[in-house]
Amino acid sequence: MVVNLLGFDLDGLTAFCQGLGEKRFRAVQLCRWIHQKGESDFEQMSDLAKSLRTKLAGQACVRALPLVTEQVSSDGTIKWLFDVGDGNAVETVFIPEADRGTLCVSSQAGCAVGCRFCSTGHQGFSRNLGTAEIVAQLWFAEHRLRRHLKLPLGERAVDNVVMMGMGEPLQNYAALIPALRTMLDDHAYGLSRRRVTVSTSGVVPMIDRLREDCPVALAVSLHAPNNVLRDELVPMNRKYPLADLMAACARYLDAAPRDFITFEYCMLDGVNDSPEQASELVRLVRGQGPESSVVVPCKLNLIPFNPFPASGLQRSPEHRVQAFARVLLDAGIVTTVRKTRGGDIDAACGQLAGEVLDRTDAATRMTRAPIRIQPLPAETPR
Ligand code: SAH
Ligand code: SF4
């Protein structure tokens, strides 16, 4: 069986090389070729012994996901749709800014959590992505962008990764951890822990495990200030209610690379966007409400809802978002409102893509300077 080496973190690569009778430093060399140089052809890995290159060619490969579409927004946002087999596709979004680039990565085809406002949730769950399929999104984006932007050697295109694409990353924990380690490893992408963010609907036991195993920045999708409403919007809440979630967030901060948790809050017209609910939210994070007595240092990220027909929900009007933000700001909570990005490339997609785009477009709502990228060339990208 041919193994895709994108599925290994450095420890995994070391074990694989040892299985071939090779020393650890060979794994380091391989790791650099693959992730730092974007090389997929073992023959080009000039400092590996010929005998090792031959062994690798027989047993391993470095394989990207088949690309279905690439779309470039007038504001520079880029969306890739990848085929993951059996009629499933996942999406990856690159959001350029003046001083950095953020990549929004998917962890599952579909999602089992079933949040009311999320089209991925409405699609249902197809399957977990493997580590190779998660890492392939970054590998492809990084090296494609480097080539197209003609970046000098050593300069990277992606300096932030957010696990905010399709899926609940903490329900695909076994595949997630080696993927995160590869993102962080200095021999691979070398991203700092604060530049890799896991976003979760609140899988409490896995928040604790992440804190032990690989404490990167944490974003928690809150969306409601009390259990009654959150039970409706984010079904995960029925299993892990706010008291448990807030306590897990507070524990996470002991190990977190930042001294706050980012709470995401999708603004739904007439559902969760009143000034009273904003005040309730302030009490919740201060540990002064009926739901939880734990103080959670946090930032609030308000996301205008991206509507889709089956949801039966509407986006909050701008003035309501502003009024909500004002209550939080007046209470001293750092609050940002995401701006829409890449809106012009949503409509052109097919139905599956449309559903995927509806969902991940939430992660493209930030203000950034446009960059130019050439159109997709005819040859298959490496
Ligand atoms: N499953 C994880 C990560 C992926 S979702 C989670 O739920 O956190 C990433 C973010 O997209 C979530 O915070 C969610 O609020 C947001 N989102 C989902 N559907 C949306 C929509 N239709 N409009 C705006 N944001 C949405
Ligand atoms: Fe799943 Fe996140 Fe969508 Fe909820 S918001 S259904 S957890 S992808």
Side-chain angles (χ1 to χ4, degrees), residues 111 113-115 117-118 120-121 165-168 201 359:
C111 181
V113 179
C115 300
F117 49 84
C118 174
T120 305
M166 287 174 78
E168 168 50 62
S201 57
R359 232 291 300 115

Side-chain angles (χ1 to χ4, degrees), residues 83-100:
D83 184 351
V84 293
D86 296 329
N88 293 313
V90 296
E91 194 183 58
T92 310
V93 182
F94 177 71
I95 308 130
E97 280 182 290
D99 59 340
R100 62 178 183 170

Side-chain angles (χ1 to χ4, degrees), residues 137-157:
Q137 298 171 61
L138 173 58
W139 184 78
F140 173 86
E142 175 65 38
H143 298 292
R144 175 148 184 78
L145 290 165
R146 273 196 214 174
R147 281 198 302 278
H148 281 269
L149 301 173
K150 300 197 167 48
L151 295 181
L153 201 68
E155 199 170 304
R156 63 177 160 218

Side-chain angles (χ1 to χ4, degrees), residues 63-106:
R63 197 173 47 231
L65 291 168
L67 183 62
V68 182
T69 56
E70 173 181 79
Q71 291 175 285
V72 184
S73 163
S74 57
D75 68 13
T77 301
I78 305 170
K79 300 183 185 228
W80 293 285
L81 190 70
F82 295 107
D83 184 351
V84 293
D86 296 329
N88 293 313
V90 296
E91 194 183 58
T92 310
V93 182
F94 177 71
I95 308 130
E97 280 182 290
D99 59 340
R100 62 178 183 170
T102 296
L103 193 71
C104 178
V105 170
S106 294

Side-chain angles (χ1 to χ4, degrees), residues 111 115 117-119 163-169 199-201 219-221 223 264 266 303-308 338 358-359 362-363 365:
C111 181
C115 300
F117 49 84
C118 174
S119 61
M163 297 301 304
M164 293 184 186
M166 287 174 78
E168 168 50 62
S199 176
T200 180
S201 57
V220 172
S221 295
H223 308 309
E264 293 161 284
C266 184
I303 313 170
F305 171 57
N306 188 39
F308 59 101
R338 277 195 207 165
D358 273 349
R359 232 291 300 115
R365 301 167 187 283

Side-chain angles (χ1 to χ4, degrees), residues 331-380:
I333 298 173
V334 176
T335 304
T336 50
V337 180
R338 277 195 207 165
K339 297 255 163 54
T340 303
R341 285 282 306 265
D344 58 332
I345 54 176
D346 279 4
C349 287
Q351 213 207 326
L352 171 66
E355 289 195 51
V356 175
L357 292 176
D358 273 349
R359 232 291 300 115
T360 50
D361 189 55
T364 71
R365 301 167 187 283
M366 291 174 240
T367 312
R368 298 194 173 103
I371 59 160
R372 292 265 167 261
I373 171 165
Q374 290 154 20
L376 186 66
E379 81 268 18
T380 315

